[in-house]
Amino acid sequence: PTLWPDLATLRGACEPLMGPATVIKLSLDDARALWGTGTMRDAMAALDAFAAPVVVITDGAREVRARRFIDGEPRWTTHPVFTVEAVEPTGAGDAFTAALLSRLVASGWGAVSDDDIWFGMAAGAMATTKPGAIAALPTAEEIAHFVASRRGG
C-alpha cells in the first residue's frame, strides 16, 4: 500500500496483467491490499474473475489454496503447510513461486499437480529457516529431500 497512491492505481497496474496470466500467485495479504478482501474465501472469489490455469493463494504458516481446472471445471484445493522453525519470513513467497514455476517449466507447462504445490510449499517453508532472502533459498535437491522426509517417501 505504501508504493501506490491509491487502490485504483494499484488495481489498474495489476489486474490487466492478471487477465492473460498463466499463473497467478498471491499471498492473502496481497489480496487484502489489492481488493480489501477480509478472508481466504473473499480472496478466492476475487481471483475467480481471472482465467489463469493456475491460481495460488498462500497464507504464511497457515495454508495454501490452489485453483486448477480439473475436467474443465475450476476447483480449489487446500494444502496444509509444512511446519518449520521460522527464523525470517522474507523470501518465502518468492521461494514458493520460483519452485512452483520451475516444476511447471520442467513439465513443459503441463497441468499443475499436488506434488508441484508441495514442492513450492517446501521451498517457501525452507526459506524461512535461515536469515536473508537469497542465502536461505534451497536447491531443488534440498527441496526434494525435505518433501520426501516430511511426506514419508
Side-chain angles (χ1 to χ4, degrees):
T2 59
L3 299 176
W4 302 94
D6 54 57
L7 190 55
T9 303
L10 172 62
R11 285 183 185 151
C14 294
E15 288 180 344
L17 300 174
M18 295 167 73
T22 300
V23 177
I24 299 173
K25 187 275 182 196
L26 295 175
S27 69
L28 185 54
D29 288 339
D30 295 333
R32 285 183 181 130
L34 189 56
W35 297 299
T37 57
T39 66
M40 181 64 80
R41 291 252 177 244
D42 293 340
M44 291 163 51
L47 284 163
D48 279 338
F50 301 95
V54 179
V55 177
V56 179
I57 309 170
T58 58
D59 189 16
R62 287 165 289 284
E63 66 183 349
V64 170
R65 299 280 181 110
R67 189 196 73 200
R68 295 169 281 178
F69 286 86
I70 302 170
D71 297 328
E73 295 294 321
R75 298 209 181 127
W76 285 95
T77 54
T78 303
H79 304 269
V81 298
F82 294 106
T83 301
V84 295
E85 286 198 36
V87 173
E88 181 181 345
T90 303
D94 294 333
F96 174 96
T97 304
L100 177 62
L101 290 174
S102 74
R103 296 278 295 220
L104 291 171
V105 168
S107 73
W109 291 94
V112 67
S113 68
D114 285 341
D115 287 340
D116 297 332
I117 301 295
W118 283 103
F119 193 80
M121 290 188 323
M126 292 174 74
T128 69
T129 63
K130 298 176 188 172
I134 300 300
L137 291 176
T139 66
E141 293 79 23
E142 290 169 334
I143 298 167
H145 176 50
F146 179 91
V147 170
S149 71
R150 296 295 181 98
R151 294 192 66 208

